[in-house]
Amino acid sequence: MGKSSIFLALIAGALVQFQAKAQEFTPEKMWSLNRISGTMGSSNEEWMIYQSTKTDYTVNKSKTNTFLVELKTGKTSPLDLDGAWNFIWNSENQLIFLQAAGSEIELKSLNPSTKAIKVLHNFGATAVEGLALSPDGKRFATLEPLKIKQTIKDKYPDLPQTSGRVETDLMYRHWNQWSSAEAPHLYWYEASAEGKFTKKADVMQGENFPSVTGPFGGIESVCFSKDGLTIFYSTKKMSGKNFAQSTNSEIYAYKTSDKFTTILSSAHKGYDTNPAINFTGKTLAWLSMEKDGFEADKNRIRIMDLESRQEKDLTAGMDVSVNDFAWHPSKEIIYFTATVKATKQLYSLDVKTGKIQQLTSDRCDYVSFSVMKDRILLERQDMIHPTDVWIFTPKTNLNEQLTHSNKEELKGIAEPTVQEKWITTTDGKKMLTWVIYPPDYDPAKKYPALLYCQGGPQSPVSQYFSYRWNFRLMASQGYIIIAPNRRGLPGFGQEWNDAISKDWGGQAMRDYLTATDSCVAQIPSINKDKLGAVGASYGGYSVYYLAGIHENRFKAFISHCGLFNLESWYGTTEELFFANWDIGGPYWLPENKELYAKNSPHKLVDKWNTPMLVIHGGKDFRVPESEGMQAFQVLQLKGIPSKFLYFPDEGHWVTKPQNSILWNREFFDWLNTYLK
C-alpha cells in the first residue's frame, strides 16, 4: 500500500471513529436537547402554544422560543416573544402574556389568527412575578414584591457596605435562598369602561406573609370566581418557627367588594393548594393533605359548593396521591394525573357520579396537561425520550404525538432498553425495579452495574427524563442500571409510601440490597465484581448508609447532597416539619435517641472501606454543605480513596449548564476508574 493510500485509510478510520463517537449519548448531547414546556391549548381547540428551550453549554446560556400551532392543520409558527412568560388563553381565545420591554413589564394579548399584538397594561419597573386573569377578562391579579421587614441598612444607614445579617427567628434561609425583606403580595386590578386597568388593592393588606407558599408556590395558587368579584388563593400565613414546623396552608376567599377574607379549608391541617373554579362558578376544587407536617401525605381532590359551603373528598376511595388537576371547560369533569406503579398517568373524574377512570396506561410519565373542549394536550416523557407533546381524545382513547422536538438531535443514536422486574422483598412484598440496559446490549457480555438510590425520600422512580440523574445517559456509558421503587415511594399505595418515615435505615435499605442481589442472580451479564451505588438527597443518605452495611458488594459509591449525620443535619436544615415527621423530631429528646442511633449513617463509618465521590452545593440549605464535608473528612482520615466535588453557587440541584457538564464528567470518571 502506498503512502497516499495509507494516509487515506488513516483518515477514513479516524472519520469512522469520530462518527461512532458522535453517535454516543453524552452529557454534551443531553444538554443540546430541546426542552419542551408550557403547553397550553385554547378552549375552542383551534390553537396550541408551547415553549422550547435550547441551551448552549459552551457559553452557559439558554434561549426559550415560543411556538403557535394551528391544531386543525398542524401548522407551527414561531412567535417573536423573547422575554415573555405567564401565558393564558382567555375566554375569547386570545393569548394573554407578560413580557419584558426594556426595564419595564407589559401585559399583552396576541390574536392567533393575525399575530397582532396589543398592549393591555404597562406595569413600569414593577417586578411582576405572575398574573391570574378573571374569566371575563375585566380583572386580573398579580404577584408583586412588597417590603415586609426592616433591613440592616435601614437600621444602620451609615453602614451601606455591610454584608452582615441579624436573625431573630427561623426560616432565615430556604432551599437555596436567604430570606429577603420583600415577599410576593397579591394585588388586583380592574378595567374601566375604556378598558384601562387600574391597581385597586393589596389582597393581604397589612399582613407580613407571602401571598403564596415559597419557595415553589406561584400564580397557580390563585384564581378568580366566575363573576371576577372573588379571588381565591392558597398560602401558609406563618413565619419563623411556625412556618418551619408546619405544612398547614389554607385556601382563602377575598371579596373585592368589601375586601373581606374568609378561610375555606380550616378543617384540614396539611397542605391545601391550587384552588380552581369550575365553568358554572358554583364549585371550587383544590388539592388537600390531612396531616400537618407531612409533606408526602396523600394529595386529595376536594370540592366545595360555594353557596352551601359543603365539601367533599372526591378521591377518598382511591389509594393514589394526585399530582395536579384541571376542570373541563364546560363539563362537570376533573382531569388529574397521579403516580401508579412507577408511571404518571392521566385520569378523569366525573364530579356528579364520583366515577374515576384511568385514561392512559403507557410506560411513560405525563408531566403536564392542558384540557380543551374534546381533547387533552399532554407533555409526555420516559427514561429514554425527552418531553414531547401528545394529544389525547377521551372519546376514542386515541393518543397521537404532535411534536418531535429532538428528532434531529437524537438521530442515529442507539437507545438503551428498559425492563420492568418485580422482586420479592425480605418481608414478602413485591417491589417494582426498573432495569435499564446499555445500547446494543449483548447478554453474552459482562457489564458493570449501578444501583440507583432515589431521593425524596417519597419521590417515585417513575419514567422521568431527568437532566441530572439521566438513566439514558448512565446506560449509554456501558452500565446496567438497577432502579428499585423501594419502600417509601408513591404509586404503590399510601401504606408503601408511609413505611419509610422514622425507618430510613431499615426496610428501604433491605429493599436496595434485595434488588441488587436479585438482579445479579437473575441477569448473568451483570459483573458482580463491578457494582456501584449512586444517589442524591435521601439517595445520597442511602449511599452513606449502604457504605456501612453492604458487606463488600459495591466497589464504588457516589453521594450527592446526602444526609450524613442526622443530628447535625437537624441542627442546620430549615423545613423542620420534614425532619420532625420523617426522622422523629429533635435529637435531644430522650425518646428519639434510639431513632437517631439506628438511622444516622455517621454511626456506621467504622465499616466504611469503599472508594467514594462526595458532591455538594454551597447554596443547599435543605441538606447543608457540612454534611458532605463531614463524610469527605471521614473518608480522607480513614485513607479511603475519595474526592469532593463542590459547587459554591448551586443548591440542592446542579442547574447551570457547565456545572452539570463538570458534574457528569467527574461522575463517570469516578465510576470508570473503579468499575471498568
Side-chain angles (χ1 to χ4, degrees), residues 220-223 232-234 251 273-277 284-286 325:
E220 74 282 350
S221 301
V222 181
C223 74
F232 301 100
Y233 65 100
S234 63
I251 306 295
T273 61
N274 296 40
I277 199 79
L284 185 76
W286 72 92
F325 76 96

Side-chain angles (χ1 to χ4, degrees), residues 341-358:
K341 294 182 179 178
T343 62
K344 292 183 179 179
Q345 303 297 338
L346 180 70
Y347 293 78
S348 67
L349 193 163
D350 188 309
V351 175
K352 290 184 177 179
T353 65
K355 180 182 178 182
I356 297 175
Q357 182 180 358
Q358 184 175 332

Side-chain angles (χ1 to χ4, degrees), residues 34-143:
N34 297 299
R35 304 193 193 188
I36 301 299
S37 64
T39 303
M40 296 180 65
S42 60
S43 59
N44 67 357
E45 216 159 87
E46 292 183 10
W47 305 96
M48 170 186 99
I49 65 153
Y50 70 93
Q51 293 189 298
S52 179
T53 300
K54 188 78 169 179
T55 298
D56 182 350
Y57 79 87
T58 64
V59 293
N60 234 25
K61 291 184 179 180
S62 299
K63 179 177 175 55
T64 299
N65 294 307
T66 305
F67 295 90
L68 177 70
V69 181
E70 187 176 2
L71 289 173
K72 186 176 181 179
T73 64
K75 181 182 177 182
T76 301
S77 306
L79 298 176
D80 185 16
L81 297 178
D82 283 353
W85 77 101
N86 205 119
F87 293 97
I88 305 167
W89 287 105
N90 70 7
S91 58
E92 298 175 350
N93 297 294
Q94 302 287 297
L95 188 61
I96 311 298
F97 56 94
L98 295 167
Q99 187 175 25
S103 61
E104 300 181 341
I105 294 176
E106 294 176 335
L107 176 64
K108 296 180 178 181
S109 67
L110 179 143
N111 184 316
S113 298
T114 66
K115 310 297 191 299
I117 294 177
K118 179 181 178 181
V119 177
L120 303 177
H121 184 74
N122 189 311
F123 294 96
T126 301
V128 180
E129 297 178 23
L131 181 142
L133 188 68
S134 66
D136 60 8
K138 295 179 180 179
R139 296 172 185 83
F140 61 79
T142 59
L143 288 171

Side-chain angles (χ1 to χ4, degrees), residues 492-511:
F492 303 91
Q494 200 64 28
E495 180 183 349
W496 185 275
N497 178 86
D498 296 355
I500 197 168
S501 297
K502 301 180 182 64
D503 189 37
W504 279 23
Q507 187 60 50
M509 293 300 120
R510 293 190 286 275
D511 288 348

